[in-house]
Amino acid sequence: MTDKASCLILSPFEWTIAKRYMLPGRGEAFIALVAGISLVAVMLGVAALVIVMSVMNGFRAELFDKIVGLNGHALVQAYGGRLDNWERVLEDVRKTPGVTSASPLIEQPLLASYNGRVEAILVRGNTDEDIAAIQPNLKAGRLSELEAGTSTVAIGARLAENLGVRLGDTITIINPQGRSTPFGTVPRQIGYTVAAIFEIGVYDYDQAFVVMPIENAQQLLLIGDSIGMIEVTTEDPDRVGEILAPLAQRLAGQAIVTDWKTINATLFEALAVERVAMFVVLSIIVLVAVFNILSSLIMLVRAKTRDIAILRTMGATRTSLLKIFVTTGFLIGALGTIAGLILGFVFLYFRQPIVRFIEVVSGQNLWDPSIRFLTELPSRTDPVEVTVISVMALIFSFLATLYPAFKASGTDPVQVLRYE
């Protein structure tokens, strides 16, 4: 065990030679340049991996938090869109093991108009508890004004911009399924005062949602005491299908249970595929950077052939030379990896100012919320992924040193010095 450990530790002599080779002399400026390029290339490759993977993780996590935070982990939807005996079903849902909360919900696409502008909206009838949960996302107004029997609503910030609405203005919500008259069906139009404006952070929600008490939604839609669905939250969103499987069997033929994975399957699967693809592509960048270390070490070995021969004649072993050149190349990769991690974390910390600066310089909108779903560039760094990236870069760097190191350790001093 002691012999193995001593093989990995550099002696003072070996460390001195390794440091000397890491700083080539005046006649070896080109080798130093290639080594510097190698370090910078590894740094940029590692930084790119850390930045992209953190942004991808942040995008998925933020999207998941906002979508699931607003819609729950699953929805119990009645066939035909109307759940009449919802109190019994709600009680059954709440008694299901693993379910932490469940609440009735009405969600219906309608139209809203203000001063001649018309926008498609999604009316949500929520309980008082669910309405209060929007408080952290409130931009203006008071949610306490949304009470049953009052003509008040809360709307998304983008919808308010599109309609040109401010607090206290009255919007008209149009329900095409109005009352029947001798002259045909007359669309139902009711005016509602905007009591609050919120911003969830998901563009599609902020441009469409109109929230009101569930009793007001029932009155607007003329559905009596019925609801559209039940929103369910479980103790583990990743096991939501397993947790709600017994409930789905009990409600077969009456309602369907749809979890967040099914509702947003296309979006999250696309994110997963893109995440893997970006990791593979950027890993190739790190691999290409490591080839620079290989080329710089090969040139160093060729330039130091005479020195290597002299060291061998002075008693330096093959193992010593192997460790010297492995250490020289590995330290370039290690320094590049550390610098890349620092650069990546700095970029992530200042990501929003950097994006705004690039937008100003290029004149392009790099983060359009209508395309990106989220209003800001997200980031969430996974320590495990950072560790994997670092270890991968170090392993690549180590492997790149082996060929030049073995070449140097295999130098025959007799053959070299004979022709000097």
Side-chain angles (χ1 to χ4, degrees), residues 170-208:
T170 300
I171 63 172
T172 300
I173 296 181
I174 305 168
N175 179 11
Q177 296 180 348
R179 296 184 182 276
S180 298
T181 69
F183 304 100
T185 302
V186 177
R188 185 174 174 79
Q189 302 184 37
I190 300 180
Y192 290 90
T193 302
V194 177
I197 297 175
F198 58 84
E199 185 173 19
I200 302 298
V202 179
Y203 187 85
D204 287 358
Y205 294 169
D206 293 333
Q207 75 165 350

Side-chain angles (χ1 to χ4, degrees), residues 114-409:
Y114 177 76
N115 280 350
R117 298 182 182 180
V118 179
E119 291 286 337
I121 63 170
L122 200 61
V123 169
R124 284 177 63 95
N126 287 118
T127 61
D128 294 339
E129 293 78 9
D130 290 336
I131 291 175
I134 304 176
Q135 184 64 39
N137 304 108
L138 191 66
K139 287 193 67 178
R142 291 182 296 179
L143 293 172
S144 59
E145 296 184 16
L146 273 67
E147 297 178 353
T150 62
S151 298
T152 54
V153 294
I155 69 174
R158 305 300 176 199
L159 178 60
E161 291 178 5
N162 294 341
L163 288 174
V165 172
R166 293 176 295 181
L167 286 178
D169 291 339
T170 300
I171 63 172
T172 300
I173 296 181
I174 305 168
N175 179 11
Q177 296 180 348
R179 296 184 182 276
S180 298
T181 69
F183 304 100
T185 302
V186 177
R188 185 174 174 79
Q189 302 184 37
I190 300 180
Y192 290 90
T193 302
V194 177
I197 297 175
F198 58 84
E199 185 173 19
I200 302 298
V202 179
Y203 187 85
D204 287 358
Y205 294 169
D206 293 333
Q207 75 165 350
F209 275 7
V210 174
V211 177
M212 62 177 64
I214 195 167
E215 297 84 357
N216 294 359
Q218 290 171 335
Q219 182 182 6
L220 170 65
L221 299 173
L222 302 174
I223 59 174
D225 191 41
S226 299
I227 63 170
M229 59 193 75
I230 295 174
E231 183 182 84
V232 184
T233 304
T234 62
E235 60 187 16
D236 186 357
D238 291 325
R239 294 179 50 247
V240 62
E242 177 186 340
I243 293 171
L244 297 181
L247 177 65
Q249 293 178 355
R250 293 197 301 269
L251 296 178
Q254 180 183 3
I256 182 171
V257 179
T258 309
D259 60 39
W260 67 270
K261 296 179 181 179
T262 303
I263 297 172
N264 305 286
T266 303
L267 176 61
F268 283 101
E269 285 178 8
L271 286 175
V273 171
E274 186 176 358
R275 185 168 170 270
V276 173
M278 292 301 294
F279 184 84
V280 172
V281 170
L282 293 174
S283 296
I284 293 175
I285 293 177
V286 176
L287 185 60
V288 171
V290 166
F291 276 111
N292 287 328
I293 298 177
L294 175 63
S295 61
S296 65
L297 278 183
I298 290 175
M299 287 189 292
L300 182 63
V301 170
R302 291 182 64 86
K304 299 294 184 182
T305 301
R306 185 172 180 275
D307 293 0
I308 294 169
I310 294 173
L311 289 173
R312 288 296 310 278
T313 58
M314 293 174 63
T317 63
R318 293 178 182 269
T319 303
S320 294
L321 290 172
L322 185 69
K323 288 195 290 183
I324 288 170
F325 282 94
V326 166
T327 301
T328 302
F330 182 76
L331 280 179
I332 294 175
L335 291 174
T337 301
I338 294 171
L341 293 176
I342 294 173
L343 178 62
F345 291 142
V346 169
F347 185 96
L348 291 172
Y349 185 81
F350 295 103
R351 62 188 182 280
Q352 280 304 131
I354 291 173
V355 169
R356 295 193 188 99
F357 173 76
I358 296 175
E359 287 179 341
V360 171
V361 172
S362 64
Q364 300 294 323
N365 186 0
L366 300 180
W367 193 260
D368 186 353
S370 63
I371 300 174
R372 311 292 184 183
F373 293 100
L374 303 179
T375 54
E376 289 189 351
L377 180 66
S379 171
R380 184 169 295 188
T381 303
D382 184 353
V384 175
E385 282 189 350
V386 172
T387 302
V388 170
I389 292 169
S390 302
V391 171
M392 179 189 69
L394 293 176
I395 290 176
F396 284 170
S397 301
F398 173 75
L399 293 177
T401 64
L402 294 181
Y403 174 74
F406 277 112
K407 194 74 174 175
S409 64

